[in-house]
Amino acid sequence: MNSIPFIQFKNNIQGFLEQVISQHTPLKIIDQNSGDFIIISAEDWEQQQETLYVLQNSYLMEQITHSMATHTQNKGYSPNQEELDEILSI
């Protein structure tokens, strides 16, 4: 994550906001008077919230662990041709 002084951010706020949104990289703003803060796009923030939700949900984590184990062992679910045709026709 890049860090810049507040005055630099203030002088080119539009450019930095466009960079944060287009490059999906947060930006740390350093302000000795008010304290540091982070700029992050709404899309990236929402994705992080979803990830935190999954990681904090023990039932979902168990499902993911089980799915990874069956996938690794080639014992996961395999759809038949009719199901594949239906999926691919969407």
Side-chain angles (χ1 to χ4, degrees), residues 45-57 61:
W45 185 82
E46 289 166 0
Q47 289 176 352
Q48 289 182 5
Q49 295 304 304
E50 291 172 5
T51 300
L52 287 173
Y53 173 77
V54 170
L55 291 173
Q56 293 172 349
N57 186 313
M61 289 305 297

